[in-house]
Amino acid sequence: MTLPRTPSQTVGPYFAIGLTQRAQNEVVRDGDVRLIGRVTDGNGEPVSDAMVEICQPEGWGRCGTDADGRYSFVTVRPADGRPLDVLVFARGLLRHLGTRIYFPDAGEDEVLRAVPPEARETLFALEEDGAYRFDIRLRGDGETVFFAV
Amino acid sequence: MTEVDPPLDWPDYRSTQTRAPSRPLVVLPYALSELSGPAFGNGDVDAADADLTRQGEGEPLGERIVVTGRVVEDDGRPVRNALVEVWQANAAGRYRHDGDRHPAPLDPHFHGAGRCLTDADGAYRFVTVKPGAYPWGNHENAWRPAHIHFSVFGRMFTQRLVTQMYFPGDPLFEYDPIFQSVRDPQARERLVAQFDLSLTQPEWALGYRWDIVLRSTPFEQ
């Protein structure tokens, strides 16, 4: 038996009242990794109504972007050296996007090898002032690689 | 990913034009489920969070409704103990959100957000008021059909679903590019709740049923 699935619809512009009223951006309580980033659109403008969710073996978290498109998380690096799984939701996305955050010293893996070489760098966080920065460009120059999820 | 879901590139919904990725999604070389840990997001859920009519000082205006259904995987198994979150406009079609400039009244007794966990049968249940339609500026005289936003966590991160539930017979369906972005008419119908007389509570509330089907995790099939 296979039941037909329920389709996705956009999260819309007002999801904050339902999804991000309470702070949930501590993936791991008192984790030693601060992850920051900014979500921008095809014009390079900040996306102020996006939500980023992170999933890793150690926990889950989410964060809505602010007026400047910025988000932040507190977490730890996954124990087994794996990347972080990321979902991105926003007004204008009829279904969510999936991507991954690799830490700067991560080696090549099977997933990276499936990504066009010139686009792989969009999946790597940068070290910046004691934090890791991972900007998400939804469209256009430097467009982040998104996976079929 | 399949024709069930809307395309990312759907210019009739104007915001997609600057936000939908221009490059094709990268297909992963092995089963998605291997990538993802379990879904989280349960947190503290209070039974009272499922009644959106009891979150203000008094009762909100509008048509009181019960919305209930089951969250199941596409093989029919119930998704138990899963977090279901909802948010919606009030009966006048206004969200309690700073960005909503629709000149319809806010209701001091309606916040418009709720959450609950599914039970052993995968069932969820909310009490709320029927949301109003509202204009949204996407194109000339654009109105969203009445809808309730749903966010659902399955057992796996790959089952994550954010969608919208609509009400049967809405005359705005044919004009709404978000509803119409689902290209398969049968799939569109699955976004529409069914009025169910057996769910109504006499002298108190009307009832709607809406089931949610998530994809199964591939490696367990």
Side-chain angles (χ1 to χ4, degrees):
Chain A
M1 173 178 65
T2 302
L3 299 168
R5 285 195 299 114
T6 304
S8 172
Q9 293 271 269
T10 181
V11 75
Y14 306 129
F15 63 81
I17 62 175
L19 301 181
T20 55
Q21 283 298 305
R22 57 200 101 193
Q24 298 169 93
N25 63 341
E26 236 183 13
V27 180
V28 175
R29 185 174 295 274
D30 300 325
D32 60 357
V33 167
R34 185 160 169 268
L35 176 68
I36 60 172
R38 193 160 174 256
V39 183
T40 54
D41 69 12
N43 298 323
E45 297 295 323
V47 175
S48 60
D49 47 5
M51 177 176 73
V52 178
E53 291 188 345
I54 286 183
C55 186
Q56 61 182 95
E58 293 80 6
W60 170 90
R62 70 181 164 197
C63 185
T65 54
D66 67 14
D68 197 34
R70 293 181 193 280
Y71 69 86
S72 68
F73 288 95
V74 170
T75 186
V76 297
R77 291 185 58 156
D80 53 4
R82 52 176 286 155
L84 307 175
D85 288 321
V86 179
L87 299 183
V88 183
F89 304 79
R91 168 175 64 84
L93 293 178
L94 283 162
R95 54 187 209 255
H96 58 257
L97 299 173
T99 187
R100 311 185 92 184
I101 301 175
Y102 287 84
F103 289 93
D105 54 0
E108 202 172 72
D109 66 8
E110 201 180 353
V111 170
L112 284 176
R113 279 192 287 273
V115 173
E118 69 279 6
R120 286 177 197 165
E121 65 174 10
T122 70
L123 298 175
F124 282 83
L126 306 168
E127 274 187 273
E128 183 180 286
D129 300 332
Y132 290 98
R133 193 181 94 218
F134 184 77
D135 292 333
I136 298 171
R137 181 74 188 259
L138 296 178
R139 183 184 181 92
D141 293 341
E143 183 175 311
T144 301
V145 168
F146 298 106
F147 297 98
V149 290
Chain B
M1 184 174 177
T2 72
E3 65 275 12
V4 169
D5 289 316
L8 287 162
D9 183 18
W10 184 246
D12 287 358
Y13 174 23
R14 213 172 56 197
S15 297
T16 62
Q17 297 172 18
T18 52
R19 293 181 167 195
S22 60
R23 288 204 303 247
L25 302 179
V26 173
V27 178
L28 292 168
Y30 49 83
L32 281 168
S33 55
E34 292 177 44
L35 288 180
S36 296
F40 290 86
N42 290 24
D44 301 321
V45 178
D46 190 292
D49 293 343
D51 188 343
L52 285 72
T53 69
R54 302 283 177 195
Q55 293 169 355
E57 299 271 306
E59 287 230 52
L61 292 172
E63 187 181 312
R64 198 185 288 117
I65 59 173
V66 172
V67 177
T68 186
R70 293 175 71 220
V71 182
V72 298
E73 297 186 49
D74 59 19
D75 59 6
R77 282 184 299 175
V79 181
R80 301 184 172 101
N81 205 36
L83 180 66
V84 179
E85 296 161 290
V86 294
W87 67 102
Q88 63 170 90
N90 67 23
R94 179 85 185 265
Y95 287 87
R96 184 175 287 276
H97 187 288
D98 290 342
D100 187 353
R101 295 298 173 199
H102 177 33
L106 282 168
D107 184 337
H109 303 309
F110 192 69
H111 300 169
R115 47 202 240 134
C116 73
L117 294 175
T118 57
D119 68 13
D121 197 35
Y124 71 86
R125 184 177 185 275
F126 292 100
V127 178
T128 184
V129 295
K130 189 174 178 184
Y134 58 87
W136 62 303
N138 183 72
H139 54 277
E140 190 186 346
N141 200 20
W143 292 79
R144 292 300 328 280
H147 60 276
I148 298 177
H149 294 267
F150 272 72
S151 162
V152 183
F153 289 83
R155 294 180 300 109
M156 305 288 291
F157 208 42
T158 47
Q159 293 178 303
R160 190 84 174 84
L161 178 68
V162 171
T163 187
Q164 301 178 26
M165 185 207 89
Y166 299 86
F167 292 86
D170 196 314
L172 293 170
F173 285 156
E174 64 179 297
Y175 307 109
D176 180 42
I178 293 180
F179 183 71
Q180 294 293 335
S181 69
V182 176
R183 301 311 298 141
D184 174 4
Q186 292 182 316
R188 272 202 301 275
E189 282 307 305
R190 298 199 294 276
L191 294 173
V192 182
Q194 300 294 309
F195 173 71
D196 188 335
L197 191 66
S198 73
L199 294 174
T200 63
Q201 305 208 350
E203 317 303 327
W204 194 72
L206 292 174
Y208 290 89
R209 183 179 302 283
W210 190 56
D211 293 333
I212 299 169
V213 181
L214 308 179
R215 88 179 75 221
S216 298
T217 52
F219 71 99
E220 286 185 343
Q221 283 183 340

